Amino acid sequence: MELPTRIEVSGGARLLLIWADGAKVELSAEEVRRGCPCASCETFPNRFLLPTVQIVDVEQAGAYGLRFTFSDGHNSGIYRYDYLKELGLRDEYRSI
Ligand SMILES: [Zn+2]
């Protein structure tokens, strides 16, 4: 799997990923938090999430993804890069 060449969190509020082929994913912290792929969020989606949720930390999770720590304290999800790409595409479709 191809890794992004650039990973940027601006102001805790937005995540930007850019790949060498020009693919680009931009998501709000809220969208990333809502898309959390951990078992507990998949079972009980967090409907009461505050839109002000922020990304307070981001770290590499193995070779294939990222782990975020959010301002609500949650950090169980491992986000594979291809999953983040998918989330970004979903976001694009929504805004059309
Ligand atoms: Zn989760």
Side-chain angles (χ1 to χ4, degrees), residues 36 38 41 74:
C36 179
C38 84
C41 291
H74 195 64

Side-chain angles (χ1 to χ4, degrees), residues 33 35-46 74-79:
R33 177 63 183 86
C36 179
C38 84
S40 121
C41 291
E42 280 193 341
T43 315
F44 306 107
N46 193 340
H74 195 64
N75 69 348
S76 335
I78 305 285
Y79 294 68

Side-chain angles (χ1 to χ4, degrees), residues 23-69:
K24 184 177 154 187
V25 163
E26 214 177 342
L27 290 162
S28 71
E30 185 194 358
E31 286 164 333
V32 179
R33 177 63 183 86
R34 273 189 202 288
C36 179
C38 84
S40 121
C41 291
E42 280 193 341
T43 315
F44 306 107
N46 193 340
R47 295 186 190 87
F48 307 107
L49 191 67
L50 291 175
T52 52
V53 70
Q54 294 211 317
I55 297 168
V56 295
D57 193 27
V58 56
E59 58 187 300
Q60 298 274 349
Y64 60 86
L66 296 173
R67 177 197 288 268
F68 299 96
T69 302

